[in-house]
Amino acid sequence: QKSQEIAQHDALAKWKSKSWWWLESPSFNKQYLIALGDRVSLVMCPTHLALNQEPSSSSLSWTGGQCFIVPLPHCESFVGLDEEVWQEVHRFQQSLRNMFRREGREV
C-alpha cells in the first residue's frame, strides 16, 4: 500500500515537471498566462506564439490562435472534473468564441 502511494506520488511529480501548461508545474512560465479564473486558466501555446509589429505603429500584437483552457486542480481527463470546473470551462469557451466572432475569425 505504502509503496504504491509513493509510486503514484513520484509519477505525478514527474508529470508535473513536464507540464509547462499547468500553473502548478515548476516549468510553468507566467508569460504564457492569458487569464486566470477561479477554477481554470487560459494559457497561450508557446510553439504557436508569433508577435508581429505593424509597420505603421510601434505596437506588438499576438497573431497566434492556439491556447489551452487548463483546470487548476490536477485531473487525468476532463471527464473527471467537478461540475463547477466544467461550468467555468464552458464560460471561457463561450468568451473565446465571442471574441473571435467579433474579430471576424473562425474558432
Side-chain angles (χ1 to χ4, degrees):
Q1 176 76 22
K2 188 77 166 172
S3 62
Q4 185 179 12
E5 290 175 5
I6 292 171
Q8 287 176 337
H9 177 269
D10 291 346
L12 181 59
K14 184 178 177 182
W15 181 85
K16 280 182 184 182
S17 70
K18 295 180 182 179
S19 305
W20 61 263
W21 61 88
W22 194 42
L23 203 61
E24 293 185 22
S25 172
S27 61
F28 182 76
N29 190 335
K30 290 181 184 178
Q31 74 180 15
Y32 298 125
L33 182 65
I34 299 170
L36 181 60
D38 294 328
R39 295 173 176 88
V40 300
S41 62
L42 182 64
V43 181
M44 283 189 288
C45 183
T47 58
H48 295 86
L49 180 63
L51 289 175
N52 284 342
Q53 188 165 4
E54 298 294 327
S56 60
S57 74
S58 62
S59 66
L60 295 174
S61 62
W62 181 52
T63 59
Q66 291 192 326
C67 56
F68 297 140
I69 299 173
V70 183
L72 296 180
H74 174 261
C75 65
E76 291 187 17
S77 76
F78 271 53
V79 175
L81 292 177
D82 291 338
E83 184 63 29
E84 296 84 20
V85 179
W86 263 116
Q87 290 173 356
E88 190 162 301
V89 166
H90 288 293
R91 284 194 302 271
F92 268 72
Q93 288 174 330
Q94 190 59 45
S95 295
L96 287 169
R97 284 187 197 102
N98 292 339
M99 179 188 76
F100 282 111
R101 189 177 302 116
R102 282 191 307 270
E103 294 178 357
R105 297 171 63 189
E106 297 289 323
V107 176

